[in-house]
Structure formats: C-alpha cells, structure tokens
Amino acid sequence: MNSKKIKENFNKIFLNIKDDYLLVTFFIVLNLINSIIIRLVTVKNGLSISPLLVDLSFLIIISLISLLFKRKKRIKYFITVSVILNIVCIINSIYYHYYSSFASISLLATAVFAADVSDAIVENVLKPIDLIYIWQSIALYIFYRYLKKKNYFKYEIKQENKKIIKKGVLTSLFLFLIAAFFMPLNAWARLYKLWNRESVVMNYGIYVYQLDDFIQSLTPKINSLFGHDSSLKKVSDFYEENSYHASQNEYKDIFKGKNVIVIHAESMQTFPMNLSFNGEEVTPNLNKIASEGIFFSNFYSQVGVGTSSDAEFTFNTSLMPSTRGTVFVNYFDREYIAIPELLKEKGYYTYSMHANTGEFWNRNTMHKNLGYDKFYSKDSYIIDETIGLGLSDKSFFKQSIDIMKDIKEKEGTPYYGLLIMLTNHTPFSDLELMDEYPTTIDVDIDNQTVTRNYLNNTTMGNYLRSVHYADQAIGEFINNLDKEGLLENTVLVIYGDHDARLDFDDFNLLYNYDPITDTIKTEEDEGYIPYNKYNYELDRKVPLIIWTKDQSFNLDVNIPMGMIDVLPTLGNMLGIHSEYQMGKDIFELKDPDNMVVFVDGSFLTSKVYYNSPKSEIYSINNEPITEDYIKIRSKYASELIEISNDIISYDLIKELKSVKLRN
Ligand code: GP9
Ligand code: MN
C-alpha cells in the first residue's frame, strides 16, 4: 500500500468512525458562540445557563434535520442554515442598539420606513460589533474547504439515522428541561405572549426567540381561527370592570368648542428645558409657555417600534401601541376611536400637516382612519430649505400658517389641527444650517475666560443644538399664529413624541462635568450627581403642555402621566371621550399614584421604576417597596398591553360597538 492509499483509507475510517459528528459539532459550537455574543452585547447575560442549554437543544434539532441529506448536500444545508442564523444575529444586534428590543418578522413592513431614515441608522446606530457575527460563516466555509481537501465528501456512509434521531431528540428534550428548571416562573408565559422580547431572549436565546416570533407573527393573519373568542371575552370583561365614568372635575368642558392646534415635537425630551449654557436657556420658548399654561412635567411617551406613529396613535386613541407589529402599518384597517373622529362628530374640521411623504408610516391611510378630514403632506409644501430628513421646521411652520388661515376662513367651524415636526430627528446633523447655539461653558481660571467645549462631537451636544432650533421654530410659529389672529379662542397643545435615544454616557458628562478641572466628577468628588440606568429612564420623559393665550389655566402637574392619559384628560376639557380609553383623566385620579406602562411591561409610578425584562426595582425616593406593590402593578401592566393588543389585532372596537348597539 502506498502512502496515498494509506492516507485515503485512514481518512475514510477516521471520518466514518467520527460519523458526521465533526461537522455537526463545528456547526453547533459556532452558532452557540454567536448566540452568546449577541446576548453579551445586548441583554448582557451571555453566560447564563438556561439560554445556553436552549440554544444547544435547538441546534441539535436543527442538526438532526441534516440527516435527511447526503453528505454533499448536508454541508450545503449547514452553510445555508448558518447564514440564516448569522443574519438573525446581525439584524437583531443592530435592531437592539436602535430600539432596545429585538426584531420581529411582523415588522418587515415597517422596515421600509427604516430605509428612509437609513442615514440616521448608519450614523447613530450601526456599530462595528453588530457585524462581528460574520466570522461564523467564514469559519464554516474554511472548515468546508478543509473537509473537501480531506476527501470527506467522497465517501457516503451508512448511518442508523433512526437511532441517531431518537438519541438526538431525547438529548435535546433533556437539555430543554434542565434549562426550564433554571428559568423564572413567568418565562413560559413570556414565550407565549412575546411582548417582553428581551426577557424571551434572556431565557431562551436568540434563535428560539426568532422562531417563536416567526410563529406568532402568523397569528394575526389567522386570527379569525384562533384566539378571537377568548380575546373578545377578556376585553369585554375588562371594560365591564373598568367602565367609563364621566369626569366631574373643574376642567370639564373648559375648552369646549375652541380650536385646537397640536404640535407633535419630534424627539423632544423634557430635560433640555432645565438646561442653560452661559445663562442662555436651551428652550426659552417651551419654558415660557410651560410657565404660562398647564405643564405636565412628569409625562412619558409609550411608543413601541412604531415610534412617531405610535405616539400619534396613543395620543389620539388612549390605547397602548401594538407589540405585534405597528398599528399604522399592520393594523391600519381596524376601527379606532380617536380625538379627530370624536371632534368631527362635534362639528369640527380636522386636519393634519407634515412635510414628509404621505406614505411614511402609512399616514395617508391612517390619518383618514383616525378621523382627519385632510392630511397636508409633502406635496402641499415647497421644499425651500432642507435640514436633516427634509423640509426645515421653520419653513414648515411658515407655510402651514398660510394653509391654516385659509382653513379658518373657508370652514367657518372650529378646527383640530395637528402639525408634525421633522427637523429634530436623529442623527441631529446639518447643525451648520441652524442658528449658532453655544453648548459650551465659559469659566474663569486665573482671571482668564476659558471656553469649555466639552459636548463637542457628542450626540448630546448635537441634540441640544437641534432642540434649540426646534424651540426657536415653535417660538416663531406661536408669534406668527398670534399675528394672524389664530390664537384667539384656541388651545395649543405641544407634546414630545418620544425620547431621542441619546447615549447614556453623554448624560453623565452633561451632569458631572467639572469645567474648572476639565474632568468628569466621580463619586468621591463634591457635587457629584449619581447617574444610573434608572435616572436615564426617568430622563426619557417628554413635555406635554396645554396653553391658551389668555393663560387662564396655569399649573405644573407632576403626577406621572403617559401618552394614553391624553385623550381622557384633554378630552374632558374639550367635552369628548372614548368608551374604550385605557388611560385616565389625570385630574380625576382615584389613586393619586398614577402608573405609566411601557410596551415591554416595565412601568413607572411616583414611587418606583420597575424594569420588567430584568425584574429590577428602582425606588425613586429610596422608600421601601413591597413585593405586592410590584405584583399588583405588573399584573395591571400586562393586562393593559394584552387588552390593547387584542383590540387591535382582532378589531374588537368594531365588535364591541355593534354589540352595544344591539343591546
Ligand atoms: C417621519 C417622522 C419620523 O415622517 O415622523 O418618524 P420616527 O423615525 O420618529 O418614527
Ligand atoms: Mn418621531
């Protein structure tokens, strides 16, 4: 026997003995490592035991499927599956860095809008770490070349597939059961309900999460077959228990019959309202009207992945946004009860204005559904000055005033108008097109004035300058409305649509920078302001201001309030309500400890911020929080999310209304 033959025989025997375990092991280990990496860079539980075992169990099952193929095809199968799992990791990694949640198949339709703001994503979101997963596909390919060189594919071997499958399935099941043993009790429910996506990834790993999401994204399509009846019952019971009671407070009907102008302030958070640089306020105009009107200083947006569109939806309908897709995109054909529709019934003319294309967020369709008589979108504007995503806010407001004057003259009825701003959108670029605003501090050192440009090139610095521009635009708009007599008999409402996804570290810099020493203060330093992830959550609040020119109502409301509380609160002032509103009139609270629920099940009260995915409690005033306090509210938070989800997916308002009519 020559040496070549010996080698060939050795390979044949060696690889036969090994069966295909070598390849399978390689495939499993590579994908296991990627799953660990993604959890390390997102939910930070890379080495947790349960997701590791679930991943292993999942990858064993996937590997068993390869037995259906012959060796040559089997490698193709492994490469294809690896590429798919690779893509799952990359997309979820990017997605997490943008939305702090995981991607959903049901959002494929929403992805179109992500393409439109792709600059923002590339500049602000895409981190090199998001591409690290590619190493797995490369490694597998190199391994394939190695096997080929070893003539691995030349020999087909006889295997006792049935035995292997049986062993494999049993092992996989065993691993899954051990994993389940290490999971918290609510992990099963979360896998089924899936709105707490972070927690599903933390317990089951990225692959099972994505599989779960895939299966669940099919459910709305077949909703008439599954779950409808039980959901209808659940929702009817909820409204029976929480039936609508008309408010009787002093704000009832105070603005009845008045015109309403609503400004949707893109990415406007509340904290810049408390900031000044060298004595100059960042938002002098917002501060002025906040001090002259009703300022809700503890107000939070409750958006999901539908961001701007979810803010519009929650503001107008008092329902939580869908956690299975986006209402504006996936559930535009359902029936909703919304502020424009309700005011239309009272004889109002209703319109919306936004200088982006009407297709964006499917607004063309959804604005009609919400009850706007007319939507003035990009086509109604001359794009004479572009900043960031499109027409600058200053030009948008100027041009809108002309349209509003016409509406006032033509319609002769009260009106409800929504103006959606655009400029202050991440990535806060084109700053050179905005007026100079110094985000710097001047300090005296040895009788010399030193200018500290410490926010230079930070997202925070850019954001504050952009916020200052948005504030100027709002100020100019209010002045022009006044000049045109459009503030008479009119209520102005301004809300920030959601937070701006700023960097956590930038906040520490903002609050703990010492201009004298040009360093960031640490715990040991005097005047250090502790800033943790909960402070960051609390800083995500957005402004809500209700203002009239005569300043007839002037107060600061600092009860925690969410976007779903707007319809009940503002509606009471305007003399409208929805039987299906899930929020509360903030001036009519039975329990003054109001609760703001977020789409992942986290919630906030005046006492606590509770992070549901991580089951972490943050006592805001350091007072002890009982287990019951959290338990009761956690239950209510899930109820709110699920009821809204069911109403939206199964189109239940339509049914509840017709049942009511029949009775
Ligand atoms: C686009 C604007 C931005 O028209 O409303 O949407 P967002 O990215 O904030 O959801
Ligand atoms: Mn927005």
Side-chain angles (χ1 to χ4, degrees):
M1 234 193 271
N2 61 25
S3 69
K4 199 177 158 206
K5 250 213 155 105
I6 294 175
K7 200 176 161 196
E8 225 173 75
N9 265 344
F10 173 79
N11 275 348
K12 191 172 167 186
I13 296 163
F14 175 75
L15 292 167
N16 269 343
I17 293 170
K18 289 270 177 189
D19 246 337
D20 277 26
Y21 289 131
L22 198 61
L23 180 58
V24 170
T25 311
F26 205 70
F27 166 80
I28 290 180
V29 170
L30 290 185
N31 286 295
L32 209 55
I33 294 177
N34 260 359
S35 172
I36 293 173
I37 297 177
I38 194 166
R39 280 183 289 105
L40 274 176
V41 302
T42 57
V43 289
K44 316 255 184 286
N45 79 336
L47 298 175
S48 205
I49 189 91
S50 50
L52 208 73
L53 294 176
V54 176
D55 280 337
L56 201 56
S57 149
F58 169 81
L59 291 167
I60 289 175
I61 297 285
I62 293 288
S63 305
L64 291 177
I65 298 173
S66 74
L67 292 174
L68 299 173
F69 306 104
K70 290 209 165 112
R71 267 191 172 174
K72 239 188 189 157
K73 292 229 168 114
R74 200 170 299 158
I75 184 72
K76 283 191 187 147
Y77 167 81
F78 278 125
I79 289 182
T80 314
V81 175
S82 288
V83 169
I84 294 173
L85 298 185
N86 212 203
I87 293 172
V88 163
C89 288
I90 293 172
I91 290 181
N92 276 290
S93 192
I94 296 173
Y95 194 88
Y96 191 88
H97 286 130
Y98 196 55
Y99 289 115
S100 300
S101 181
F102 291 95
S104 168
I105 305 275
S106 60
L107 292 171
L108 277 180
T110 314
V112 183
F113 305 110
D116 277 35
V117 287
S118 56
D119 275 5
I121 293 178
V122 172
E123 273 186 53
N124 261 14
V125 178
L126 196 65
K127 305 191 173 170
I129 190 89
D130 295 331
L131 300 176
I132 197 169
Y133 313 93
I134 294 172
W135 77 278
Q136 162 255 42
S137 290
I138 299 169
L140 194 69
Y141 183 73
I142 295 170
F143 191 64
Y144 160 74
R145 303 289 305 179
Y146 163 81
L147 290 178
K148 205 170 170 190
K149 217 166 142 201
K150 293 246 157 188
N151 287 327
Y152 176 80
F153 300 106
K154 261 196 183 166
Y155 315 103
E156 197 54 52
I157 46 158
K158 278 208 182 90
Q159 291 176 131
E160 295 190 55
N161 280 358
K162 265 193 190 159
K163 251 192 191 165
I164 298 177
I165 290 174
K166 203 171 149 194
K167 261 194 210 164
V169 171
L170 282 176
T171 316
S172 167
L173 209 68
F174 179 66
L175 291 172
F176 197 88
L177 286 175
I178 304 182
F181 181 75
F182 285 101
M183 286 179 202
L185 282 177
N186 55 10
W188 272 113
R190 287 180 172 178
L191 185 68
Y192 170 68
K193 291 172 184 166
L194 199 62
W195 44 260
N196 198 332
R197 290 168 192 269
E198 258 189 309
S199 151
V200 174
V201 174
M202 282 166 93
N203 287 313
Y204 297 91
I206 192 71
Y207 305 128
V208 167
Y209 157 73
Q210 202 70 81
L211 180 71
D212 183 23
D213 168 73
F214 176 70
I215 297 168
Q216 302 238 16
S217 67
L218 299 175
T219 51
K221 311 253 175 321
I222 43 176
N223 65 17
S224 48
L225 297 175
F226 298 106
H228 166 270
D229 294 355
S230 59
S231 291
L232 180 62
K233 176 153 182 355
K234 198 165 73 187
V235 173
S236 312
D237 289 352
F238 175 86
Y239 282 117
E240 226 155 84
E241 240 171 76
N242 302 278
S243 62
Y244 168 74
H245 286 290
S247 298
Q248 297 303 338
N249 55 57
E250 57 187 300
Y251 298 94
K252 192 176 170 67
D253 296 342
I254 53 171
F255 298 138
K256 204 171 179 178
K258 284 195 191 298
N259 299 319
V260 185
I261 298 173
V262 181
I263 299 177
H264 168 121
E266 176 60 48
S267 302
M268 182 64 76
Q269 290 182 226
T270 305
F271 75 90
M273 293 175 71
N274 304 317
L275 296 177
S276 292
F277 288 87
N278 286 340
E280 209 186 304
E281 287 174 327
V282 179
T283 57
N285 295 294
L286 282 180
N287 292 9
K288 182 171 177 286
I289 61 161
S291 68
E292 292 173 358
I294 309 176
F295 176 39
F296 300 87
S297 55
N298 207 354
F299 179 72
Y300 291 83
S301 175
Q302 292 162 295
V303 298
V305 291
T307 45
S308 276
S309 70
D310 279 350
E312 290 180 49
F313 179 74
T314 45
F315 180 97
N316 279 314
T317 63
S318 189
L319 293 178
M320 290 293 286
S322 168
T323 60
R324 305 179 198 135
T326 295
V327 174
F328 269 44
V329 180
N330 306 91
Y331 305 100
F332 56 85
D333 51 354
R334 312 298 205 253
E335 189 166 330
Y336 303 107
I337 295 181
I339 296 178
E341 182 69 47
L342 292 166
L343 287 177
K344 222 159 89 159
E345 286 167 14
K346 301 270 178 199
Y348 275 61
Y349 178 72
T350 57
Y351 61 91
S352 53
M353 302 171 135
H354 182 45
N356 204 346
T357 55
E359 287 81 37
F360 203 95
W361 282 130
N362 201 20
R363 283 186 175 110
N364 268 342
T365 312
M366 255 321 266
H367 278 203
K368 241 182 242 148
N369 185 334
L370 295 176
Y372 292 103
D373 286 312
K374 172 122 180 105
F375 174 30
Y376 297 89
S377 62
K378 192 174 180 182
D379 301 340
S380 306
Y381 293 86
I382 301 161
I383 309 301
D384 53 4
E385 184 189 40
T386 300
I387 305 184
L389 285 191
L391 181 64
S392 73
D393 282 344
K394 287 190 182 178
S395 175
F396 164 66
F397 278 134
K398 264 189 212 123
Q399 296 184 51
S400 298
I401 293 248
D402 293 334
I403 308 174
M404 291 169 79
K405 268 183 351 202
D406 275 4
I407 292 172
K408 193 186 166 203
E409 273 161 32
K410 249 198 260 151
E411 299 302 329
T413 56
Y415 58 78
Y416 174 83
L418 164 75
L419 292 98
I420 303 171
M421 297 173 73
L422 188 61
T423 304
N424 186 35
H425 190 284
T426 172
F428 318 114
S429 49
D430 290 348
L431 297 174
E432 62 289 351
L433 299 174
M434 301 172 185
D435 278 355
E436 198 63 47
Y437 176 74
T439 45
T440 53
I441 300 181
D442 291 346
V443 275
D444 270 350
I445 299 177
D446 298 335
N447 288 333
Q448 288 222 326
T449 305
V450 180
T451 300
R452 299 288 196 206
N453 201 357
Y454 70 116
L455 291 173
N456 193 25
N457 276 334
T458 62
T459 342
M460 180 64 81
N462 296 347
Y463 174 64
L464 292 177
R465 189 153 161 194
S466 171
V467 161
H468 181 68
Y469 170 88
D471 178 79
Q472 277 182 334
I474 291 172
E476 275 179 22
F477 179 57
I478 296 174
N479 280 341
N480 288 333
L481 285 173
D482 198 15
K483 265 191 215 146
E484 300 297 342
L486 290 165
L487 287 180
E488 309 310 318
N489 207 24
T490 297
V491 187
L492 184 70
V493 181
I494 301 185
Y495 68 88
D497 68 341
H498 48 74
D499 73 306
R501 298 191 193 93
L502 298 164
D503 293 344
F504 175 86
D505 291 340
D506 278 0
F507 276 93
N508 195 30
L509 176 70
L510 183 70
Y511 294 135
N512 281 312
Y513 175 74
D514 184 343
I516 308 279
T517 54
D518 195 21
T519 54
I520 304 172
K521 286 180 202 155
T522 61
E523 270 169 57
E524 285 80 50
D525 295 319
E526 206 184 304
Y528 170 77
I529 301 169
Y531 197 81
N532 59 29
K533 56 188 173 182
Y534 295 111
N535 298 112
Y536 179 82
E537 291 299 331
L538 303 187
D539 258 337
R540 292 174 71 191
K541 55 173 87 70
V542 297
L544 171 68
I545 303 167
I546 301 178
W547 177 88
T548 51
K549 191 185 161 187
D550 60 10
Q551 302 176 29
S552 46
F553 292 90
N554 180 216
L555 65 152
D556 185 322
V557 182
N558 72 354
I559 301 166
M561 177 177 179
M563 200 69 93
I564 62 166
D565 299 321
V566 171
L567 165 53
T569 307
L570 179 66
N572 179 46
M573 299 173 173
L574 294 167
I576 53 168
H577 74 272
S578 157
E579 301 268 309
Y580 308 107
Q581 56 195 31
M582 302 200 79
K584 298 196 168 72
D585 178 350
I586 213 73
F587 297 115
E588 192 77 11
L589 293 174
K590 278 189 219 104
D591 175 2
D593 189 21
N594 194 34
M595 172 179 179
V596 182
V597 174
F598 300 100
V599 284
D600 65 354
S602 299
F603 62 83
L604 183 128
T605 68
S606 53
K607 295 190 173 68
V608 75
Y609 172 79
Y610 177 66
N611 180 321
S612 170
K614 299 195 172 83
S615 306
E616 284 173 356
I617 303 170
Y618 172 62
S619 168
I620 296 171
N621 307 313
N622 288 328
E623 46 182 306
I625 304 291
T626 64
E627 224 174 84
D628 259 11
Y629 185 90
I630 299 294
K631 227 173 154 181
I632 293 166
R633 283 161 182 82
S634 272
K635 192 168 165 268
Y636 185 69
S638 4
E639 206 173 6
L640 218 58
I641 295 165
E642 283 164 29
I643 297 286
S644 286
N645 262 333
D646 284 347
I647 288 178
I648 294 162
S649 331
Y650 299 107
D651 204 3
L652 293 185
I653 288 191
K654 197 187 208 163
E655 279 186 64
L656 292 172
K657 265 168 75 180
S658 66
V659 169
K660 232 179 148 188
L661 276 178
R662 279 205 301 274
N663 292 338

